Amino acid sequence: MPEIFINGQAIQARDDQTVLQVALANGIFVPYFCWHPQLSIAGNCRMCLVEVEGRGLDIACNMPVNAGMKVFTDSDDVKAHRKAILQFITLNHPVDCGICDKAGECTLQDYHYQYNGEASLSRDEKVHSTKFYNLSNRILLDNERCILCLRCTRFTHEVSKSMALGVERRGDVSNIRPVEDRPLGEDPYSDNIIDLCPVGALLSRQFLHKARVWYLKPTPSVCPGCERGCTIQIWHRKPEWKLKALDPAQNTSIARITPLENPAVNGPWICNKGRDLARIFERRRADQAMLKGQPVELSVAIDHARRLIGAARHPAALVSTWGSNEELETFKARLGEVFHCFVKRDGQPEEGERIEDDLLIRADKNPNTAKARELFHDSGEPTFHDGTDLVLVWGEGFDFAKLPRGAQVIFLNSYLQPENGHADVFLPISIQTERSGHYTNFQGTVSAFEACFAKNDTVVDAEALFVALAAPARGHP
Ligand code: SF4
Ligand code: SF4
């Protein structure tokens, strides 16, 4: 292990590390735009210049370690060159911060204040370029804000492999452009370039001008879109910035979803389906308990369900693969002996969705099949006993036409669906964004999710419901 010195501090490095990697791994920050740990080295932004004794200035991202080398990350020469680079980058960069979605999390903004802080030296008109160029139905490109770090092009070449982006022309008229016949709209990982872009050049259409990021807070969660179970952050309005007028619905809605880096599961990436979870979670909710389609108090419906369970001779249950570990374990502990249980796949691939690939996306579109299979009998399609007289259906994805003739039905669901009214007992349950828990992914990795919003009082958490259903019945149905 070569020993190197950074700002006089002796550090044991690995032979395969660059000076930038050694510095960052040891808590010495060196600014950079184009470098990214998951992408190849481009070395084009020049922000990570450091000084090496006897060698002068060079970029740290592409500098192998050599035993005994003495590196300075904050010498006067380094500071002067960093400032000059920022002056160069901002020559043509517009001062859009007041309307730019990246403001508040923009690396250029941060570095400008930290390492430059002065007005532009140029008195010439800035070079203008395309604003709001339509890269795909999900992403807009502002070429004036682009600093040509090429993170986006490298991502499409090296990670998603869609090869959808390239650079056209040279010099101060260079532009990122889509590659002909390689539509970015068909890249299911395309939105990662929005996070990768160090400035506000790549904009999510979904999030465009929707909120300033400092009004939002992220809650750690897990994407239920497939059995990978990518860790994510669900961004929503901070309570202290709650809207009282305008559109109060924004206080309880998802503003955006970004990856939460997790080397054990998804690295720093997620697919676009994970970004679109509002489409799933913000469907019209079912919040009214019912008996044969007639509204009743939640407690009345629970009581009725409990009595049906107590009276059934051959009850069966379809357990949800969207249930958390805690809910599945509670069901198993409290009701597992009562019901003949089958594992139900709640989620199925949607039309046009990528089914599977070798990056993240898995064919099973449910987050917790692994835990459900560990706890319950999984024979694929449920085969009901001839005398099955009660079926508890937990969650979506089951065709009610396949229910055994004459069986009574207890249905637990969160969204408005025609089947809700057909059940003998309908019980509205909370969704993932209203409770905390864990999922186990197909590799056996357990990931936690936390509540973002409060649930409605007329809706019950499945875990509490299973405890209530297992309590002794008070009478006969
Ligand atoms: S659009 Fe963003 S990520 Fe792409 S080259 Fe420009 S600055 Fe870099
Ligand atoms: S790969 Fe699967 S778990 Fe990950 S973001 Fe996409 S749908 Fe969600």
Side-chain angles (χ1 to χ4, degrees):
M1 279 179 107
E3 183 177 67
I4 70 167
F5 298 86
I6 303 183
N7 301 336
Q9 181 186 336
I11 294 175
Q12 302 296 319
R14 282 199 327 267
D15 284 317
D16 61 348
Q17 283 181 306
T18 62
V19 168
L20 181 64
Q21 287 171 318
V22 177
L24 295 176
N26 287 278
I28 302 166
F29 185 69
V30 176
Y32 54 87
F33 287 115
C34 70
W35 182 78
H36 188 281
Q38 302 280 330
L39 300 175
S40 62
I41 294 169
N44 59 17
C45 76
R46 319 308 284 177
M47 259 316 275
C48 66
L49 279 177
V50 292
E51 189 171 351
V52 182
E53 194 176 83
R55 268 175 57 184
L57 294 171
D58 208 344
I59 50 172
C61 69
N62 201 25
M63 187 187 290
V65 291
N66 268 319
M69 72 195 302
K70 294 191 171 62
V71 179
F72 299 93
T73 65
D74 275 315
S75 67
D76 288 346
D77 224 8
V78 168
K79 285 181 187 164
H81 278 82
R82 251 179 219 159
K83 192 164 179 166
I85 289 160
L86 284 166
Q87 282 284 348
F88 174 72
I89 290 175
T90 49
L91 270 185
N92 290 313
H93 192 89
V95 189
D96 277 353
C97 311
I99 52 149
C100 178
D101 279 351
K102 197 79 170 187
E105 47 188 24
C106 170
T107 319
L108 180 56
Q109 209 176 41
D110 294 344
Y111 289 175
H112 170 74
Y113 286 110
Q114 197 167 348
Y115 304 113
N116 180 20
E118 289 188 20
S120 174
L121 297 174
S122 174
R123 294 289 160 261
D124 296 331
E125 175 76 1
K126 288 178 189 269
V127 173
H128 291 290
S129 190
T130 335
K131 307 288 276 183
F132 302 110
Y133 181 93
N134 188 13
L135 272 187
S136 75
N137 59 352
R138 304 179 62 91
I139 302 175
L140 293 170
L141 165 65
D142 186 318
N143 286 104
E144 287 187 349
R145 296 180 194 163
C146 171
I147 62 167
L148 287 164
C149 71
L150 308 189
R151 280 180 167 196
C152 57
T153 57
R154 278 177 286 149
F155 176 84
T156 65
H157 285 244
E158 298 165 11
V159 181
S160 72
K161 310 261 171 56
S162 64
M163 314 285 177
L165 297 175
V167 183
E168 70 167 21
R169 298 192 291 172
R170 291 175 179 232
D172 64 1
V173 289
S174 291
N175 272 338
I176 298 294
R177 281 288 175 266
V179 173
E180 222 175 296
D181 304 330
R182 301 269 184 181
L184 188 67
E186 289 175 17
D187 182 340
Y189 296 97
S190 66
D191 289 19
N192 289 295
I193 64 175
I194 300 167
D195 307 328
L196 275 177
C197 184
V199 293
L202 294 169
L203 302 162
S204 161
R205 281 172 178 275
Q206 213 177 55
F207 188 61
L208 190 69
H209 301 160
K210 200 166 167 187
R212 307 316 315 240
V213 291
W214 49 88
Y215 294 147
L216 305 176
K217 72 173 212 176
T219 296
S221 195
V222 181
C223 173
C226 79
E227 63 172 351
R228 173 77 57 184
C230 295
T231 42
I232 54 171
Q233 306 190 96
I234 300 183
W235 293 78
H236 49 96
R237 199 122 182 135
K238 286 177 181 166
E240 60 268 35
W241 286 108
K242 214 169 142 181
L243 286 168
K244 296 196 176 78
L246 295 171
D247 182 11
Q250 282 186 36
N251 298 326
T252 50
S253 39
I254 298 171
R256 67 172 179 178
I257 288 175
T258 56
L260 181 60
E261 185 161 356
N262 182 350
V265 177
N266 49 301
W269 321 121
I270 54 171
C271 80
N272 292 349
K273 183 178 181 182
R275 311 241 175 202
D276 294 343
L277 291 177
R279 277 201 309 124
I280 295 174
F281 290 140
E282 292 180 358
R283 284 177 292 160
R284 289 184 66 200
R285 291 291 300 280
D287 55 8
Q288 174 64 62
M290 292 186 284
L291 296 182
K292 290 190 169 52
Q294 294 306 309
V296 292
E297 292 284 321
L298 183 60
S299 58
V300 172
I302 293 175
D303 224 34
H304 196 81
R306 190 166 40 212
R307 279 183 274 133
L308 285 184
I309 294 168
R313 297 185 63 195
H314 296 290
L318 303 173
V319 298
S320 170
T321 40
W322 283 54
S324 66
N325 290 354
E326 294 79 1
E327 290 168 340
L328 289 164
E329 279 161 359
T330 304
F331 191 95
K332 172 87 177 172
R334 303 283 180 147
L335 297 164
E337 296 290 307
V338 177
F339 287 94
H340 184 87
C341 298
F342 301 96
V343 173
K344 170 172 62 62
R345 304 295 191 282
D346 299 28
Q348 300 296 332
E350 286 175 19
E351 202 182 329
E353 177 179 352
R354 180 175 289 185
I355 302 297
E356 192 167 20
D357 62 25
D358 55 9
L359 184 53
L360 295 177
I361 299 172
R362 302 281 303 173
D364 184 339
K365 307 300 177 191
N366 299 284
N368 216 5
T369 305
K371 190 69 184 178
R373 290 179 74 164
E374 179 194 313
L375 295 174
F376 300 97
H377 175 66
D378 181 20
S379 57
E381 275 292 297
T383 42
F384 295 109
H385 185 282
D386 275 348
T388 302
D389 50 357
L390 174 70
V391 182
L392 182 147
V393 184
W394 172 13
E396 300 177 274
F398 181 70
D399 179 0
F400 271 41
K402 294 183 179 161
L403 283 167
R405 188 179 288 271
Q408 307 230 50
V409 181
I410 301 170
F411 187 30
L412 283 50
N413 190 17
S414 306
Y415 301 100
L416 275 189
Q417 279 164 357
E419 291 84 357
N420 301 356
H422 296 159
D424 294 277
V425 183
F426 174 73
L427 295 163
I429 52 171
S430 57
I431 58 172
Q432 186 185 318
T433 51
E434 296 163 346
R435 54 192 165 82
S436 44
H438 297 80
Y439 292 136
T440 305
N441 85 349
F442 71 104
Q443 295 159 308
T445 307
V446 176
S447 304
F449 59 85
E450 291 174 19
C452 315
F453 311 116
K455 75 169 179 60
N456 196 324
D457 284 347
T458 58
V459 161
V460 62
D461 287 327
E463 201 178 336
L465 175 64
F466 300 146
V467 174
L469 290 181
R474 284 191 221 144
H476 296 288

PDB file of all heavy atoms in Angstrom, residues 189 222-232 266 269-275 277 353 360-362 364-365, ligand 2:
ATOM      1  N   TYR A 189     -34.026   4.049 -17.930  1.00  0.00           N
ATOM      2  CA  TYR A 189     -33.210   4.619 -16.848  1.00  0.00           C
ATOM      3  C   TYR A 189     -32.892   6.099 -17.106  1.00  0.00           C
ATOM      4  O   TYR A 189     -32.054   6.677 -16.429  1.00  0.00           O
ATOM      5  CB  TYR A 189     -31.899   3.839 -16.714  1.00  0.00           C
ATOM      6  CG  TYR A 189     -32.114   2.401 -16.302  1.00  0.00           C
ATOM      7  CD1 TYR A 189     -32.134   1.382 -17.250  1.00  0.00           C
ATOM      8  CD2 TYR A 189     -32.321   2.065 -14.974  1.00  0.00           C
ATOM      9  CE1 TYR A 189     -32.349   0.057 -16.880  1.00  0.00           C
ATOM     10  CE2 TYR A 189     -32.537   0.752 -14.591  1.00  0.00           C
ATOM     11  CZ  TYR A 189     -32.549  -0.250 -15.544  1.00  0.00           C
ATOM     12  OH  TYR A 189     -32.766  -1.543 -15.165  1.00  0.00           O
ATOM     13  N   VAL A 222     -38.697   2.540  -0.137  1.00  0.00           N
ATOM     14  CA  VAL A 222     -38.298   1.438  -1.019  1.00  0.00           C
ATOM     15  C   VAL A 222     -39.275   1.411  -2.185  1.00  0.00           C
ATOM     16  O   VAL A 222     -40.488   1.505  -1.975  1.00  0.00           O
ATOM     17  CB  VAL A 222     -38.372   0.084  -0.267  1.00  0.00           C
ATOM     18  CG1 VAL A 222     -37.928  -1.061  -1.166  1.00  0.00           C
ATOM     19  CG2 VAL A 222     -37.542   0.120   1.003  1.00  0.00           C
ATOM     20  N   CYS A 223     -38.741   1.282  -3.384  1.00  0.00           N
ATOM     21  CA  CYS A 223     -39.638   1.216  -4.546  1.00  0.00           C
ATOM     22  C   CYS A 223     -40.307  -0.153  -4.583  1.00  0.00           C
ATOM     23  O   CYS A 223     -39.633  -1.174  -4.565  1.00  0.00           O
ATOM     24  CB  CYS A 223     -38.861   1.451  -5.833  1.00  0.00           C
ATOM     25  SG  CYS A 223     -39.903   1.179  -7.287  1.00  0.00           S
ATOM     26  N   PRO A 224     -41.648  -0.177  -4.655  1.00  0.00           N
ATOM     27  CA  PRO A 224     -42.345  -1.465  -4.731  1.00  0.00           C
ATOM     28  C   PRO A 224     -42.558  -1.932  -6.167  1.00  0.00           C
ATOM     29  O   PRO A 224     -43.271  -2.899  -6.411  1.00  0.00           O
ATOM     30  CB  PRO A 224     -43.693  -1.135  -4.073  1.00  0.00           C
ATOM     31  CG  PRO A 224     -43.927   0.296  -4.432  1.00  0.00           C
ATOM     32  CD  PRO A 224     -42.590   0.962  -4.585  1.00  0.00           C
ATOM     33  N   GLY A 225     -41.913  -1.247  -7.135  1.00  0.00           N
ATOM     34  CA  GLY A 225     -42.186  -1.518  -8.556  1.00  0.00           C
ATOM     35  C   GLY A 225     -41.710  -2.866  -9.053  1.00  0.00           C
ATOM     36  O   GLY A 225     -42.204  -3.368 -10.063  1.00  0.00           O
ATOM     37  N   CYS A 226     -40.717  -3.466  -8.392  1.00  0.00           N
ATOM     38  CA  CYS A 226     -40.306  -4.829  -8.752  1.00  0.00           C
ATOM     39  C   CYS A 226     -39.530  -5.408  -7.586  1.00  0.00           C
ATOM     40  O   CYS A 226     -39.254  -4.724  -6.602  1.00  0.00           O
ATOM     41  CB  CYS A 226     -39.503  -4.876 -10.058  1.00  0.00           C
ATOM     42  SG  CYS A 226     -37.773  -4.406  -9.940  1.00  0.00           S
ATOM     43  N   GLU A 227     -39.161  -6.685  -7.683  1.00  0.00           N
ATOM     44  CA  GLU A 227     -38.569  -7.354  -6.521  1.00  0.00           C
ATOM     45  C   GLU A 227     -37.120  -6.920  -6.253  1.00  0.00           C
ATOM     46  O   GLU A 227     -36.498  -7.426  -5.324  1.00  0.00           O
ATOM     47  CB  GLU A 227     -38.659  -8.869  -6.683  1.00  0.00           C
ATOM     48  CG  GLU A 227     -37.884  -9.397  -7.855  1.00  0.00           C
ATOM     49  CD  GLU A 227     -37.823 -10.919  -7.907  1.00  0.00           C
ATOM     50  OE1 GLU A 227     -38.239 -11.566  -6.940  1.00  0.00           O
ATOM     51  OE2 GLU A 227     -37.348 -11.434  -8.928  1.00  0.00           O
ATOM     52  N   ARG A 228     -36.579  -5.971  -7.053  1.00  0.00           N
ATOM     53  CA  ARG A 228     -35.268  -5.395  -6.722  1.00  0.00           C
ATOM     54  C   ARG A 228     -35.377  -4.596  -5.431  1.00  0.00           C
ATOM     55  O   ARG A 228     -34.481  -4.586  -4.608  1.00  0.00           O
ATOM     56  CB  ARG A 228     -34.797  -4.494  -7.869  1.00  0.00           C
ATOM     57  CG  ARG A 228     -33.532  -3.697  -7.603  1.00  0.00           C
ATOM     58  CD  ARG A 228     -32.268  -4.498  -7.708  1.00  0.00           C
ATOM     59  NE  ARG A 228     -32.124  -5.141  -8.993  1.00  0.00           N
ATOM     60  CZ  ARG A 228     -31.111  -5.971  -9.314  1.00  0.00           C
ATOM     61  NH1 ARG A 228     -30.182  -6.234  -8.420  1.00  0.00           N
ATOM     62  NH2 ARG A 228     -31.060  -6.531 -10.498  1.00  0.00           N
ATOM     63  N   GLY A 229     -36.490  -3.852  -5.290  1.00  0.00           N
ATOM     64  CA  GLY A 229     -36.697  -3.051  -4.081  1.00  0.00           C
ATOM     65  C   GLY A 229     -35.655  -1.955  -3.926  1.00  0.00           C
ATOM     66  O   GLY A 229     -35.021  -1.815  -2.866  1.00  0.00           O
ATOM     67  N   CYS A 230     -35.496  -1.139  -4.958  1.00  0.00           N
ATOM     68  CA  CYS A 230     -34.490  -0.057  -4.904  1.00  0.00           C
ATOM     69  C   CYS A 230     -34.798   0.900  -3.758  1.00  0.00           C
ATOM     70  O   CYS A 230     -35.969   1.217  -3.504  1.00  0.00           O
ATOM     71  CB  CYS A 230     -34.501   0.733  -6.206  1.00  0.00           C
ATOM     72  SG  CYS A 230     -33.999  -0.239  -7.626  1.00  0.00           S
ATOM     73  N   THR A 231     -33.763   1.376  -3.110  1.00  0.00           N
ATOM     74  CA  THR A 231     -33.992   2.360  -2.054  1.00  0.00           C
ATOM     75  C   THR A 231     -34.123   3.738  -2.706  1.00  0.00           C
ATOM     76  O   THR A 231     -33.377   4.089  -3.615  1.00  0.00           O
ATOM     77  CB  THR A 231     -32.870   2.343  -0.999  1.00  0.00           C
ATOM     78  OG1 THR A 231     -31.637   2.221  -1.657  1.00  0.00           O
ATOM     79  CG2 THR A 231     -33.027   1.192  -0.054  1.00  0.00           C
ATOM     80  N   ILE A 232     -35.093   4.462  -2.220  1.00  0.00           N
ATOM     81  CA  ILE A 232     -35.457   5.742  -2.839  1.00  0.00           C
ATOM     82  C   ILE A 232     -35.700   6.806  -1.769  1.00  0.00           C
ATOM     83  O   ILE A 232     -35.755   6.495  -0.578  1.00  0.00           O
ATOM     84  CB  ILE A 232     -36.750   5.611  -3.705  1.00  0.00           C
ATOM     85  CG1 ILE A 232     -37.904   5.016  -2.868  1.00  0.00           C
ATOM     86  CG2 ILE A 232     -36.501   4.772  -4.939  1.00  0.00           C
ATOM     87  CD1 ILE A 232     -39.254   5.053  -3.563  1.00  0.00           C
ATOM     88  N   ASN A 266     -29.186  -1.082  -5.325  1.00  0.00           N
ATOM     89  CA  ASN A 266     -29.350  -0.378  -6.596  1.00  0.00           C
ATOM     90  C   ASN A 266     -28.220   0.587  -6.919  1.00  0.00           C
ATOM     91  O   ASN A 266     -28.289   1.288  -7.932  1.00  0.00           O
ATOM     92  CB  ASN A 266     -30.678   0.398  -6.606  1.00  0.00           C
ATOM     93  CG  ASN A 266     -30.889   1.249  -5.377  1.00  0.00           C
ATOM     94  OD1 ASN A 266     -30.898   0.740  -4.257  1.00  0.00           O
ATOM     95  ND2 ASN A 266     -31.048   2.535  -5.567  1.00  0.00           N
ATOM     96  N   TRP A 269     -28.607   4.322  -8.716  1.00  0.00           N
ATOM     97  CA  TRP A 269     -29.589   4.475  -9.800  1.00  0.00           C
ATOM     98  C   TRP A 269     -30.962   3.923  -9.409  1.00  0.00           C
ATOM     99  O   TRP A 269     -31.075   3.067  -8.540  1.00  0.00           O
ATOM    100  CB  TRP A 269     -29.137   3.720 -11.066  1.00  0.00           C
ATOM    101  CG  TRP A 269     -27.689   3.771 -11.398  1.00  0.00           C
ATOM    102  CD1 TRP A 269     -26.848   2.702 -11.531  1.00  0.00           C
ATOM    103  CD2 TRP A 269     -26.888   4.931 -11.676  1.00  0.00           C
ATOM    104  NE1 TRP A 269     -25.584   3.125 -11.864  1.00  0.00           N
ATOM    105  CE2 TRP A 269     -25.573   4.484 -11.962  1.00  0.00           C
ATOM    106  CE3 TRP A 269     -27.143   6.303 -11.716  1.00  0.00           C
ATOM    107  CZ2 TRP A 269     -24.527   5.347 -12.263  1.00  0.00           C
ATOM    108  CZ3 TRP A 269     -26.101   7.167 -12.019  1.00  0.00           C
ATOM    109  CH2 TRP A 269     -24.823   6.691 -12.297  1.00  0.00           C
ATOM    110  N   ILE A 270     -31.989   4.357 -10.123  1.00  0.00           N
ATOM    111  CA  ILE A 270     -33.293   3.678 -10.136  1.00  0.00           C
ATOM    112  C   ILE A 270     -33.823   3.768 -11.563  1.00  0.00           C
ATOM    113  O   ILE A 270     -33.308   4.546 -12.375  1.00  0.00           O
ATOM    114  CB  ILE A 270     -34.340   4.299  -9.162  1.00  0.00           C
ATOM    115  CG1 ILE A 270     -34.528   5.810  -9.411  1.00  0.00           C
ATOM    116  CG2 ILE A 270     -34.002   3.992  -7.736  1.00  0.00           C
ATOM    117  CD1 ILE A 270     -35.704   6.401  -8.624  1.00  0.00           C
ATOM    118  N   CYS A 271     -34.851   3.002 -11.866  1.00  0.00           N
ATOM    119  CA  CYS A 271     -35.447   3.111 -13.203  1.00  0.00           C
ATOM    120  C   CYS A 271     -36.576   4.145 -13.157  1.00  0.00           C
ATOM    121  O   CYS A 271     -36.999   4.578 -12.095  1.00  0.00           O
ATOM    122  CB  CYS A 271     -35.928   1.753 -13.707  1.00  0.00           C
ATOM    123  SG  CYS A 271     -37.514   1.238 -13.034  1.00  0.00           S
ATOM    124  N   ASN A 272     -37.069   4.509 -14.349  1.00  0.00           N
ATOM    125  CA  ASN A 272     -38.092   5.563 -14.416  1.00  0.00           C
ATOM    126  C   ASN A 272     -39.389   5.172 -13.724  1.00  0.00           C
ATOM    127  O   ASN A 272     -40.123   6.031 -13.225  1.00  0.00           O
ATOM    128  CB  ASN A 272     -38.391   5.918 -15.873  1.00  0.00           C
ATOM    129  CG  ASN A 272     -37.200   6.595 -16.537  1.00  0.00           C
ATOM    130  OD1 ASN A 272     -36.249   6.977 -15.868  1.00  0.00           O
ATOM    131  ND2 ASN A 272     -37.246   6.723 -17.847  1.00  0.00           N
ATOM    132  N   LYS A 273     -39.680   3.871 -13.670  1.00  0.00           N
ATOM    133  CA  LYS A 273     -40.906   3.440 -12.978  1.00  0.00           C
ATOM    134  C   LYS A 273     -40.849   3.857 -11.509  1.00  0.00           C
ATOM    135  O   LYS A 273     -41.851   4.254 -10.924  1.00  0.00           O
ATOM    136  CB  LYS A 273     -41.038   1.917 -13.099  1.00  0.00           C
ATOM    137  CG  LYS A 273     -42.306   1.371 -12.483  1.00  0.00           C
ATOM    138  CD  LYS A 273     -42.397  -0.128 -12.675  1.00  0.00           C
ATOM    139  CE  LYS A 273     -43.675  -0.681 -12.074  1.00  0.00           C
ATOM    140  NZ  LYS A 273     -43.745  -2.147 -12.219  1.00  0.00           N
ATOM    141  N   GLY A 274     -39.653   3.768 -10.931  1.00  0.00           N
ATOM    142  CA  GLY A 274     -39.483   4.182  -9.542  1.00  0.00           C
ATOM    143  C   GLY A 274     -39.734   5.673  -9.368  1.00  0.00           C
ATOM    144  O   GLY A 274     -40.138   6.129  -8.299  1.00  0.00           O
ATOM    145  N   ARG A 275     -39.462   6.458 -10.411  1.00  0.00           N
ATOM    146  CA  ARG A 275     -39.712   7.920 -10.327  1.00  0.00           C
ATOM    147  C   ARG A 275     -41.200   8.221 -10.427  1.00  0.00           C
ATOM    148  O   ARG A 275     -41.642   9.309 -10.065  1.00  0.00           O
ATOM    149  CB  ARG A 275     -39.026   8.642 -11.493  1.00  0.00           C
ATOM    150  CG  ARG A 275     -37.586   8.228 -11.651  1.00  0.00           C
ATOM    151  CD  ARG A 275     -36.650   9.353 -11.490  1.00  0.00           C
ATOM    152  NE  ARG A 275     -35.298   8.848 -11.542  1.00  0.00           N
ATOM    153  CZ  ARG A 275     -34.248   9.464 -11.049  1.00  0.00           C
ATOM    154  NH1 ARG A 275     -34.377  10.633 -10.466  1.00  0.00           N
ATOM    155  NH2 ARG A 275     -33.054   8.941 -11.139  1.00  0.00           N
ATOM    156  N   LEU A 277     -43.810   6.662  -9.080  1.00  0.00           N
ATOM    157  CA  LEU A 277     -44.641   5.959  -8.100  1.00  0.00           C
ATOM    158  C   LEU A 277     -45.880   6.750  -7.702  1.00  0.00           C
ATOM    159  O   LEU A 277     -46.857   6.175  -7.231  1.00  0.00           O
ATOM    160  CB  LEU A 277     -43.829   5.610  -6.850  1.00  0.00           C
ATOM    161  CG  LEU A 277     -42.764   4.542  -7.055  1.00  0.00           C
ATOM    162  CD1 LEU A 277     -41.981   4.323  -5.775  1.00  0.00           C
ATOM    163  CD2 LEU A 277     -43.387   3.226  -7.513  1.00  0.00           C
ATOM    164  N   GLU A 353     -43.914  -1.844 -20.616  1.00  0.00           N
ATOM    165  CA  GLU A 353     -42.886  -1.764 -19.571  1.00  0.00           C
ATOM    166  C   GLU A 353     -41.762  -2.770 -19.855  1.00  0.00           C
ATOM    167  O   GLU A 353     -42.026  -3.883 -20.315  1.00  0.00           O
ATOM    168  CB  GLU A 353     -43.572  -2.105 -18.233  1.00  0.00           C
ATOM    169  CG  GLU A 353     -42.650  -2.147 -17.052  1.00  0.00           C
ATOM    170  CD  GLU A 353     -43.397  -2.472 -15.741  1.00  0.00           C
ATOM    171  OE1 GLU A 353     -44.641  -2.516 -15.732  1.00  0.00           O
ATOM    172  OE2 GLU A 353     -42.702  -2.702 -14.737  1.00  0.00           O
ATOM    173  N   LEU A 360     -31.108  -3.366 -13.320  1.00  0.00           N
ATOM    174  CA  LEU A 360     -31.907  -3.382 -12.086  1.00  0.00           C
ATOM    175  C   LEU A 360     -33.258  -4.082 -12.237  1.00  0.00           C
ATOM    176  O   LEU A 360     -33.714  -4.770 -11.321  1.00  0.00           O
ATOM    177  CB  LEU A 360     -32.185  -1.933 -11.621  1.00  0.00           C
ATOM    178  CG  LEU A 360     -31.003  -1.070 -11.182  1.00  0.00           C
ATOM    179  CD1 LEU A 360     -31.501   0.339 -10.825  1.00  0.00           C
ATOM    180  CD2 LEU A 360     -30.287  -1.679  -9.984  1.00  0.00           C
ATOM    181  N   ILE A 361     -33.908  -3.879 -13.370  1.00  0.00           N
ATOM    182  CA  ILE A 361     -35.326  -4.234 -13.488  1.00  0.00           C
ATOM    183  C   ILE A 361     -35.532  -5.750 -13.434  1.00  0.00           C
ATOM    184  O   ILE A 361     -34.873  -6.505 -14.156  1.00  0.00           O
ATOM    185  CB  ILE A 361     -35.905  -3.647 -14.805  1.00  0.00           C
ATOM    186  CG1 ILE A 361     -35.790  -2.116 -14.774  1.00  0.00           C
ATOM    187  CG2 ILE A 361     -37.352  -4.082 -15.002  1.00  0.00           C
ATOM    188  CD1 ILE A 361     -36.142  -1.429 -16.079  1.00  0.00           C
ATOM    189  N   ARG A 362     -36.477  -6.180 -12.573  1.00  0.00           N
ATOM    190  CA  ARG A 362     -36.769  -7.601 -12.393  1.00  0.00           C
ATOM    191  C   ARG A 362     -38.170  -7.931 -12.913  1.00  0.00           C
ATOM    192  O   ARG A 362     -39.070  -7.078 -12.892  1.00  0.00           O
ATOM    193  CB  ARG A 362     -36.713  -7.950 -10.901  1.00  0.00           C
ATOM    194  CG  ARG A 362     -35.400  -7.657 -10.238  1.00  0.00           C
ATOM    195  CD  ARG A 362     -34.360  -8.695 -10.522  1.00  0.00           C
ATOM    196  NE  ARG A 362     -34.781 -10.027 -10.127  1.00  0.00           N
ATOM    197  CZ  ARG A 362     -34.093 -11.141 -10.396  1.00  0.00           C
ATOM    198  NH1 ARG A 362     -32.979 -11.083 -11.072  1.00  0.00           N
ATOM    199  NH2 ARG A 362     -34.540 -12.321  -9.994  1.00  0.00           N
ATOM    200  N   ASP A 364     -40.487  -9.923 -11.679  1.00  0.00           N
ATOM    201  CA  ASP A 364     -41.538  -9.946 -10.659  1.00  0.00           C
ATOM    202  C   ASP A 364     -41.777  -8.506 -10.184  1.00  0.00           C
ATOM    203  O   ASP A 364     -40.902  -7.882  -9.575  1.00  0.00           O
ATOM    204  CB  ASP A 364     -41.095 -10.836  -9.488  1.00  0.00           C
ATOM    205  CG  ASP A 364     -42.182 -10.990  -8.430  1.00  0.00           C
ATOM    206  OD1 ASP A 364     -43.089 -10.140  -8.364  1.00  0.00           O
ATOM    207  OD2 ASP A 364     -42.109 -11.967  -7.661  1.00  0.00           O
ATOM    208  N   LYS A 365     -42.963  -7.988 -10.464  1.00  0.00           N
ATOM    209  CA  LYS A 365     -43.259  -6.573 -10.202  1.00  0.00           C
ATOM    210  C   LYS A 365     -43.824  -6.347  -8.800  1.00  0.00           C
ATOM    211  O   LYS A 365     -44.780  -5.583  -8.606  1.00  0.00           O
ATOM    212  CB  LYS A 365     -44.218  -6.030 -11.271  1.00  0.00           C
ATOM    213  CG  LYS A 365     -43.745  -6.253 -12.707  1.00  0.00           C
ATOM    214  CD  LYS A 365     -42.398  -5.576 -12.985  1.00  0.00           C
ATOM    215  CE  LYS A 365     -41.891  -5.848 -14.384  1.00  0.00           C
ATOM    216  NZ  LYS A 365     -40.490  -5.426 -14.572  1.00  0.00           N
TER     217      LYS A 365
HETATM  218  S1  SF4 B   2     -35.739  -1.434 -10.796  1.00  0.00           S
HETATM  219 FE1  SF4 B   2     -37.619  -2.118  -9.810  1.00  0.00          FE
HETATM  220  S2  SF4 B   2     -37.425  -1.529  -7.655  1.00  0.00           S
HETATM  221 FE2  SF4 B   2     -35.858  -0.390  -8.840  1.00  0.00          FE
HETATM  222  S3  SF4 B   2     -36.801   1.577  -9.330  1.00  0.00           S
HETATM  223 FE3  SF4 B   2     -37.217   0.208 -11.033  1.00  0.00          FE
HETATM  224  S4  SF4 B   2     -39.201  -0.731 -10.580  1.00  0.00           S
HETATM  225 FE4  SF4 B   2     -38.452   0.191  -8.706  1.00  0.00          FE
END
